[in-house]
Amino acid sequence: MLNRLTRTASIFKRFSSNMSEQAAAATAAGASAKNASKKSKLQVSLKTPKGTKDWADTDMVIREAIFNTLSNIFKRHGGVTIDTPVFELREILAGKYGEDSKLIYDLKDQGGELCSLRYDLTVPFARYVAMNNIQNIKRYHIAKVYRRDQPAMTKGRMREFYQCDFDIAGAYESMVPDAECLSILVEGLTGLGINDFKIKLNHRKILDGIFQIAGVSDEDVRKISSAVDKLDKSPWDVVKKEITEEKGQSEETANKIGEYVKLNGSLQEVYDKLNSDPEIVANEKATQGLADIATLIKYADAFGIDKFISFDLSLARGLDYYTGLIYEAVTSASAPPKNATELKKKSKEDEDASAYVGVGSIAAGGRYDNLVNMFAEASGKKSVQIPCVGISFGVERIFSLVKQRAAAAAAIKPTATQVFVMAFGGGKDWTGYLPERMKVTKQLWNAGIEAEYVYKAKANPRKQFDAADKSGCPLAVILGKEEYLENKLRVKRLGPEFADDDGELIDANELIPIIKEKLSQVHQDGVNEVTRLIRGL
């Protein structure tokens, strides 16, 4: 019996010891996990994803001004706005962008649908037209798009960026909508103070005709187009090597393509050269394109935009959906540096590409007559041919050019505040006139005037002036302790140059008209700083 009790006690002791060890281990593991959890929570990378950025302060003011300038132009041309989802079914986007399809952001399956972030605003628009059986529409759309491209942040080349699109869908007389889109392109850029640009223009049918003449098979046309489209970044020798070695074309074919894609000049000059070329004139596709160019020459002259256009046969635009006229706007900042190859070798692969790339095209577009019909047929709808043409402005790239106007950009303030309402007084009975300041501010708001005041009952004069200075507003309305009791207000200009100016004492009932008059005098020629920056004044 004693032996049995001894053995039982021994077993219990060992069991208790094991349990204690396990409990201690569990406690230690729990503590370790808790510490690891705490540690992991502290180890957050406070950064935006590669190719994206936060927008704030004066940058937002400038970007909003760009949006407003472009949307006003779109409305002037009869545009109505729409919005589409930021992601589309993957099958909607698939096969529309040629070699650039690899840049599409695919999303994880979230409930039975494979989706992707939109790559541009054109394909979603064509889907919208087909889905809603729209026969004609002038639409504009300002929204973000996404591309897994190598970013160059200071050049406005990003993975998340805004496009401002204007498109015309419907059957109209040849080249009328195309000419209007080109006019919108010119109006948009000149309206943003960008005047040193060229619109490189080509026609997909002329390009396809050239490839046929050179002996390129129909199935190889798009990949050869993609190679030719690199001529704005690479010399002909490099592009020729890609055509022959990577794309499998003969030396003779490449040389024939080279004869044509080096041609550029005014619409009339290049048209005359092509129209006198027996091989071009004998090619059905090329002659169809030439007929469009002949019509466009008259319309471009009517709109007064021909001086901005360069007929450039090297322009191919790799997107698969273009069927007719194609174009893009470039400036001196569009091209990469001359020593771009050397600079690229010095840069690490994952780094920002700003050092060795240019801004690229700042706007681009073209005609895509088959995209709506493609969606209609694929969905089982009745076949409908809805021709479309459009233009897309790259806001971040344009922004990078506008910001280069350093002096004008420095004058921009982050808030729209025009008037700061203050109160001065003293003594034991001084309350700070907070409700009175709120009342005057409300009067200004009701009149559509941007106004602020300090959120403190008794704010000393220095803090009120500091707050006004921080907001950058040009005027102050001052409630003096005695003056306000006599229904009087003081209106004062703000800024170092007006430090010794006590302002003007006015009747409180005349506040709004006097403020509006003084605000009209504040800005040079009646134009505010944002407008001066945007217009390049």
Side-chain angles (χ1 to χ4, degrees):
M1 181 70 176
L2 183 62
N3 289 339
R4 195 182 306 126
L5 288 171
T6 303
R7 286 197 305 272
T8 301
S10 177
I11 292 168
F12 182 76
K13 186 177 181 180
R14 286 199 306 272
F15 176 76
S16 298
S17 175
N18 288 341
M19 288 296 289
S20 298
E21 290 173 5
Q22 289 174 16
T27 302
S32 175
K34 192 172 182 180
N35 290 335
S37 177
K38 283 183 179 178
K39 191 175 180 182
S40 66
K41 286 180 182 177
L42 294 173
Q43 291 180 332
V44 174
S45 295
L46 289 176
K47 61 185 283 294
T48 61
K50 181 179 178 181
T52 67
K53 63 171 284 187
D54 293 321
W55 292 81
D57 299 329
T58 58
D59 284 356
M60 280 297 294
V61 175
I62 295 169
R63 193 170 72 171
E64 286 296 320
I66 294 172
F67 289 158
N68 290 337
T69 300
L70 293 176
S71 60
N72 286 336
I73 291 170
F74 298 155
K75 291 173 186 176
R76 195 160 69 218
H77 284 263
V80 297
T81 190
I82 68 167
D83 194 16
T84 62
V86 74
F87 51 89
E88 295 274 350
L89 294 177
R90 194 173 300 172
E91 61 198 32
I92 296 291
L93 303 183
K96 311 298 188 302
Y97 302 106
E99 292 186 3
D100 283 353
S101 292
K102 63 182 181 291
L103 303 180
I104 294 174
Y105 273 104
D106 289 329
L107 303 177
K108 188 177 179 181
D109 182 2
Q110 296 285 350
E113 289 186 333
L114 295 175
C115 297
S116 301
L117 292 177
R118 60 188 174 204
Y119 179 89
D120 65 6
L121 300 177
T122 304
V123 172
F125 170 62
R127 188 265 306 152
Y128 171 83
V129 171
M131 193 171 90
N132 293 283
N133 196 30
I134 294 169
Q135 298 303 304
N136 55 70
I137 185 175
K138 286 182 177 182
R139 98 63 173 93
Y140 72 92
H141 191 183
I142 299 176
K144 287 181 177 180
V145 298
Y146 300 85
R147 300 181 184 181
R148 295 178 57 196
D149 208 346
Q150 176 70 354
M153 302 297 284
T154 62
K155 304 294 178 64
R157 298 164 72 102
M158 305 169 74
R159 290 183 166 183
E160 177 192 62
F161 57 96
Y162 271 96
Q163 285 188 335
C164 295
D165 281 24
F166 183 94
D167 292 78
I168 301 174
Y172 300 98
E173 286 206 20
S174 173
M175 290 292 106
V176 174
D178 307 67
E180 184 161 351
C181 284
L182 287 168
S183 182
I184 289 170
L185 172 49
V186 172
E187 290 172 42
L189 295 184
T190 55
L192 292 168
I194 301 171
N195 297 294
D196 61 336
F197 67 92
K198 270 291 178 188
I199 301 172
K200 292 169 62 176
L201 178 145
N202 200 357
H203 199 295
R204 211 58 181 271
K205 288 182 179 178
I206 293 175
L207 201 58
D208 288 349
I210 288 169
F211 292 149
Q212 284 183 347
I213 292 166
V216 177
S217 62
D218 289 345
E219 58 267 23
D220 288 342
V221 163
R222 287 297 171 255
K223 64 182 183 181
I224 300 303
S225 290
S226 181
V228 169
D229 198 43
K230 295 173 184 174
L231 280 169
D232 62 334
K233 306 178 189 72
S234 305
W236 168 246
D237 291 344
V238 174
V239 173
K240 179 183 175 182
K241 186 177 180 181
E242 180 178 337
I243 291 173
T244 54
E245 296 184 10
E246 294 179 31
K247 311 293 186 185
Q249 304 298 310
S250 68
E251 190 85 8
E252 184 183 2
T253 293
N255 288 336
K256 192 66 175 177
I257 292 170
E259 288 179 22
Y260 288 106
V261 297
K262 294 174 187 176
L263 286 175
N264 65 79
S266 71
L267 279 172
Q268 191 68 58
E269 288 169 349
V270 179
Y271 170 81
D272 289 341
K273 285 181 183 178
L274 294 175
N275 201 39
S276 61
D277 185 316
E279 289 183 288
I280 291 289
V281 173
N283 183 277
E284 185 180 354
K285 281 191 173 181
T287 52
Q288 289 174 0
L290 277 181
D292 283 347
I293 297 296
T295 305
L296 179 66
I297 289 171
K298 294 182 290 185
Y299 298 158
D301 179 63
F303 281 138
I305 59 173
D306 47 329
K307 64 181 179 181
F308 293 100
I309 298 173
S310 171
F311 194 174
D312 192 328
L313 294 186
S314 70
L315 179 67
R317 295 194 54 73
L319 303 180
D320 280 357
Y321 52 67
Y322 286 124
T323 58
L325 212 64
I326 50 177
Y327 36 83
E328 62 181 32
V330 296
T331 71
S332 57
S334 296
K338 291 183 179 178
N339 59 338
T341 305
E342 297 170 24
L343 293 171
K344 187 174 182 178
K345 287 178 182 177
K346 292 178 183 177
S347 299
K348 293 179 182 178
E349 189 176 334
D350 291 336
E351 284 184 354
D352 183 280
S354 296
Y356 56 85
V357 303
V359 171
S361 61
I362 55 177
R367 174 162 285 280
Y368 51 103
D369 285 347
N370 300 329
L371 200 51
V372 174
N373 185 49
M374 183 192 302
F375 283 133
E377 287 185 341
S379 65
K381 286 179 176 283
K382 182 181 177 182
S383 179
V384 287
Q385 191 71 26
I386 307 293
C388 300
V389 62
I391 177 65
S392 177
F393 294 86
V395 174
E396 278 73 15
R397 297 184 183 192
I398 291 172
F399 174 88
S400 71
L401 298 179
V402 172
K403 279 281 281 189
Q404 289 175 18
R405 303 165 194 163
I412 303 298
K413 55 190 178 69
T415 67
T417 308
Q418 298 295 312
V419 180
F420 211 94
V421 180
M422 307 179 184
F424 300 159
K428 290 183 179 180
D429 61 337
W430 174 239
T431 62
Y433 275 172
L434 179 56
E436 290 81 358
R437 280 183 279 145
M438 296 169 76
K439 182 179 179 180
V440 171
T441 305
K442 180 64 172 175
Q443 282 182 263
L444 294 165
W445 291 341
N446 288 343
I449 298 167
E450 300 89 344
E452 286 188 86
Y453 59 96
V454 170
Y455 292 0
K456 189 173 181 179
K458 291 184 181 181
N460 67 49
R462 177 41 47 204
K463 286 190 176 180
Q464 294 182 80
F465 276 116
D466 286 346
D469 183 59
K470 187 177 179 180
S471 74
C473 62
L475 289 179
V477 172
I478 301 169
L479 285 65
K481 184 179 178 182
E482 287 80 21
E483 293 168 347
Y484 186 72
L485 294 174
E486 297 173 359
N487 203 36
K488 300 289 184 182
L489 297 170
R490 191 170 293 274
V491 178
K492 173 178 165 50
R493 283 291 303 271
L494 296 175
E497 65 271 38
F498 302 104
D500 298 327
D501 180 7
D502 291 333
E504 178 186 351
L505 196 63
I506 67 166
D507 191 301
N509 297 325
E510 298 176 356
L511 174 66
I512 300 305
I514 289 175
I515 288 292
K516 287 184 175 181
E517 182 185 353
K518 288 189 177 294
L519 285 176
S520 69
Q521 298 167 358
V522 164
H523 305 296
Q524 184 181 345
D525 302 323
V527 180
N528 65 32
E529 290 83 359
V530 178
T531 305
R532 298 190 72 80
L533 170 68
I534 294 301
R535 294 181 185 172
L537 299 176

